[in-house]
Amino acid sequence: MYRLLIVDDEEFTANGIKASVNWSKFGIIHVSVANNARQAKEKFSEHPFDMMICDIEMPQGSGLELYEWVREEHPWTECVFLTCHADFQYAKKAIQLGSFEYLLKPAPPEELEQVMTEMIKKISKDRKSSSIVIERFWQDVLQQVIPSQPDKIMEAIGKHNIPYTSRMKFLPILIGIQHWKKELSARDAQIMEYALTNALEELVIHQVATAHIVRIKANQLLAVFSTEHAIEASGEKFREELIKRCGLFIETCNQYFYCHLSCYIGQPSEIHGVRDMVENLVALRKNQVNAVDRVVLIDEKMANETPFPMPPMRIWSELIKQGDKKKLMAESQDFLESLKRIEGLNSKSLQQFYLSFLQMVLHTLQQKGLYTDDILADHFAPERISSAAESVKNLQDWVTDVLEFAMTSIEALGSNETVVEKIKRYISANIDQEMSRQYIADYIGLSPDHIVKLFKKETGLSISEYILKERIGLAKELLAKSETSISNVALAVGFANFSYFSTLFKKEVLMTPQEYRKRFSSGM
């Protein structure tokens, strides 16, 4: 979507240009007219333009002088000059300023359309290239690869030809995803992130050419607005518009993308102060974990931190020992649901609960003779703790996972069959079926991470290695003792792709299935 400004001191000519072309077919959604340089600057102060068609000879300041100002204040704007005279000095100056084209009046509509087609191609290409460079620039600023010093930042801007000026201020909006309504695979998560980014571009960025989206980390995006033209000029009005756009973005994400998130709006900062402002927004998000599906302003008075009510861990420990899964699940989820009603709840409190709960589970399992420190060690990783403490919903999911593991471990302890034996039995029974660690985990009743580590510890093999070993072993037996075709042997051991089966068989046995059958038949 693009915006166009037509500047000509002859009102009839300007309106004639506006009426001569079907601008919408070029994706130009807004066309404005100005009759002199002063009016043009006023139009720019209301909203930036992607392109300008400008007369050169005007009584209150030439088009060349106007474009010099535009290049300084709005570097993204492309320009086509119109003039009645084929003056070489005009053309030379227009080229020096970087104008896109220089046309003689009256420009036929078909010629103007051709120029617009080429200009939009250039804008689209430049924007795509520029967006990558600018996103990397902001990531370097936020990670302090570029020091937060005005001279260092302006040096980087000049080096990468980024169209920012020292007078600009920047308003950051942090988008924090609390949780998804349904479990997503890695590929689905990528698709959803792409969809969220597009929605953010369409609903929040909303045609502001100097605004950009920056990926900070998983579940966090940043929208950065240049404030020189759009925000400072309209002040509170634009701020209110941003709040409205963010609200619509949140509603759209809830309805179509299965996720809950919040938008945290900062204040305009000089470029060297953006990193501090973003850190303040990140801290605000951490300190308000129950601010779900909300637009939060950095200067908004939030609820004070509320003392965190720790649950009855000793009682929960006894319920684990007794194997009372139903009561334990009900009590733990009721407690966590109650946390959603605490306004001043922060991530530090959730982290405190996380660690206390995990220590309780480990101690309880050890009392039952289960030493699971190695299996649960990954739960102490900072990124795991941080993820669970981002929202009460994340914490609920994690608690459910740990309790399922604890209760199943105790149940397995009382049976004659170990967890690893159960896994082996499942693999044997389903050797001709598609298998994954998730399928096995669902059958055993533990999380995928738990069974992988437990199986590796006791057998020295990964689950995938064991499955392959069993499949190749069965294939060798079938090839040696039956007359069934090799393709049927492949199907019998879980390979729908005959070529892939042959490749793996040769890698493991050092001969093809055909060679193995022939050699066995000959007594070798």
Side-chain angles (χ1 to χ4, degrees):
M1 300 297 186
Y2 304 98
R3 296 172 63 89
L4 167 68
L5 177 64
I6 300 170
V7 187
D8 198 301
D9 61 311
E10 297 178 2
E11 187 174 351
F12 176 80
T13 301
N15 289 329
I17 294 172
K18 182 178 180 180
S20 67
V21 174
N22 179 12
W23 302 106
S24 62
K25 74 178 182 180
F26 298 102
I28 298 172
I29 60 167
H30 184 84
V31 181
S32 291
V33 171
N35 298 126
N36 53 53
R38 178 185 57 79
Q39 287 183 9
K41 291 178 181 180
E42 289 175 355
K43 295 284 186 181
F44 269 100
S45 71
E46 295 169 3
H47 203 293
F49 291 89
D50 302 286
M51 57 200 76
M52 179 173 72
I53 297 174
C54 185
D55 188 15
I56 289 183
E57 300 165 289
M58 295 185 294
Q60 298 181 34
S62 74
L64 294 172
E65 292 171 339
L66 171 62
Y67 190 50
E68 282 189 89
W69 177 86
V70 169
R71 292 293 293 171
E72 179 68 22
E73 302 295 327
H74 305 279
W76 274 280
T77 303
E78 294 287 348
C79 181
V80 173
F81 281 118
L82 298 176
T83 182
C84 294
H85 307 289
D87 190 303
F88 174 73
Q89 292 302 319
Y90 280 164
K92 181 179 178 182
K93 183 65 174 176
I95 292 170
Q96 288 174 342
L97 288 173
S99 67
F100 184 80
E101 188 59 272
Y102 178 91
L103 301 177
L104 293 176
K105 288 183 176 181
E110 57 272 15
E111 183 178 7
L112 197 54
E113 288 188 6
Q114 179 62 34
V115 169
M116 296 306 296
T117 299
E118 295 303 317
M119 184 161 62
I120 286 172
K121 285 181 183 178
K122 180 179 185 299
I123 291 173
S124 178
K125 182 179 178 180
D126 288 351
R127 278 190 184 178
K128 186 175 181 180
S129 176
S130 177
S131 292
I132 295 171
V133 172
I134 291 174
E135 180 177 6
R136 182 60 186 170
F137 163 77
W138 282 116
Q139 288 171 341
D140 286 347
V141 168
L142 297 176
Q143 296 167 11
Q144 289 193 301
V145 175
I146 301 172
S148 295
Q149 301 168 12
D151 57 334
K152 297 293 184 183
I153 292 177
M154 293 311 299
E155 181 183 331
I157 286 172
K159 179 180 178 181
H160 298 290
N161 198 29
I162 297 172
Y164 289 158
T165 68
S166 59
R167 295 188 302 278
M168 285 182 173
K169 288 188 176 182
F170 300 86
L171 187 149
I173 301 177
L174 176 70
I175 294 87
I177 300 171
Q178 263 86 11
H179 62 269
W180 302 91
K181 293 180 184 178
K182 64 179 185 179
E183 189 172 345
L184 300 176
S185 66
R187 175 171 173 76
D188 287 342
Q190 286 183 333
I191 293 171
M192 283 301 178
E193 181 184 348
Y194 178 76
L196 286 181
T197 303
N198 283 345
L200 183 63
E201 178 81 38
E202 181 69 24
L203 300 174
V204 179
I205 299 299
H206 196 60
Q207 302 151 18
V208 178
T210 51
H212 290 86
I213 297 172
V214 183
R215 293 161 184 79
I216 301 179
K217 61 179 183 179
N219 293 333
Q220 283 191 11
L221 295 171
L222 190 70
V224 183
F225 287 79
S226 162
T227 68
E228 187 175 38
H229 51 78
I231 299 171
E232 290 185 337
S234 53
E236 190 61 30
K237 182 179 179 181
F238 186 81
R239 185 179 168 101
E240 291 174 0
E241 176 65 21
L242 272 183
I243 293 172
K244 186 188 301 182
R245 293 182 193 176
C246 288
L248 179 59
F249 173 64
I250 290 170
E251 289 177 11
T252 300
C253 293
N254 287 173
Q255 185 174 357
Y256 298 107
F257 305 136
Y258 315 108
C259 78
H260 293 279
L261 52 81
S262 288
C263 297
Y264 302 82
I265 301 178
Q267 291 178 329
S269 306
E270 294 183 340
I271 197 162
H272 59 275
V274 171
R275 180 176 178 274
D276 287 342
M277 179 58 65
V278 172
E279 286 190 344
N280 289 338
L281 292 174
V282 171
L284 177 61
R285 183 193 177 204
K286 287 183 177 180
N287 289 328
Q288 300 293 335
V289 295
N290 279 334
V292 182
D293 297 332
R294 286 180 55 184
V295 179
V296 182
L297 307 180
I298 189 70
D299 52 356
E300 181 180 333
K301 183 174 177 57
M302 301 297 292
N304 294 325
E305 182 178 338
T306 304
F308 185 78
M310 290 300 289
M313 293 290 190
R314 288 185 178 179
I315 295 176
W316 289 8
S317 176
E318 287 302 316
L319 290 174
I320 292 175
K321 293 176 186 177
Q322 295 167 15
D324 195 341
K325 181 177 178 180
K326 184 177 180 180
K327 186 174 182 181
L328 179 59
M329 288 292 189
E331 287 200 8
S332 61
Q333 292 304 316
D334 283 348
F335 171 79
L336 292 169
E337 280 293 326
S338 72
L339 298 183
K340 294 179 180 179
R341 297 188 287 273
I342 300 176
E343 278 293 318
L345 189 64
N346 60 33
S347 64
K348 183 179 178 181
S349 296
L350 297 190
Q351 289 176 5
Q352 179 186 353
F353 169 86
Y354 180 104
L355 292 171
S356 297
F357 179 81
L358 188 56
Q359 292 284 8
M360 179 273 292
V361 171
L362 284 170
H363 180 67
T364 303
L365 292 177
Q366 287 171 3
Q367 287 180 320
K368 295 288 289 182
L370 288 167
Y371 293 89
T372 56
D373 304 57
D374 55 338
I375 298 175
L376 292 174
D378 64 314
H379 290 274
F380 286 102
E383 59 273 14
R384 187 71 181 267
I385 298 172
S386 177
S387 175
E390 284 183 352
S391 70
V392 176
K393 175 63 169 61
N394 285 4
L395 193 62
Q396 285 177 307
D397 293 341
W398 174 79
V399 165
T400 299
D401 181 49
V402 172
L403 287 181
E404 287 282 1
F405 165 73
M407 302 303 284
T408 306
S409 297
I410 290 174
E411 290 172 6
L413 187 66
S415 68
N416 294 324
E417 190 176 38
T418 68
V419 172
V420 171
E421 287 170 343
K422 285 184 178 180
I423 293 173
K424 289 181 176 180
R425 180 164 56 80
Y426 176 87
I427 291 171
S428 177
N430 295 275
I431 198 72
D432 62 335
Q433 301 295 317
E434 180 182 354
M435 274 187 283
S436 71
R437 66 179 193 172
Q438 184 64 58
Y439 290 162
I440 298 170
D442 290 342
Y443 170 75
I444 301 298
L446 296 174
S447 74
D449 289 342
H450 295 151
I451 65 166
V452 166
K453 291 180 180 179
L454 184 62
F455 194 90
K456 179 77 171 181
K457 180 183 177 183
E458 291 197 19
T459 67
L461 298 172
S462 69
I463 289 177
S464 59
E465 288 171 344
Y466 180 81
I467 291 173
L468 179 59
K469 175 176 170 290
E470 289 297 294
R471 282 176 166 166
I472 296 299
L474 178 57
K476 289 166 67 176
E477 188 174 349
L478 291 172
L479 288 168
K481 298 180 180 180
S482 74
E483 298 295 325
T484 188
S485 67
I486 295 177
S487 60
N488 283 339
V489 170
L491 290 172
V493 296
F495 291 95
N497 187 312
F498 174 77
S499 177
Y500 183 57
F501 163 69
S502 295
T503 300
L504 285 180
F505 189 93
K506 184 175 182 180
K507 183 179 179 182
E508 294 295 318
V509 186
L510 303 180
M511 62 183 77
T512 65
Q514 294 91 334
E515 290 170 344
Y516 182 86
R517 171 168 277 176
K518 183 178 180 181
R519 184 167 297 185
F520 184 86
S521 299
S522 63
M524 296 181 68

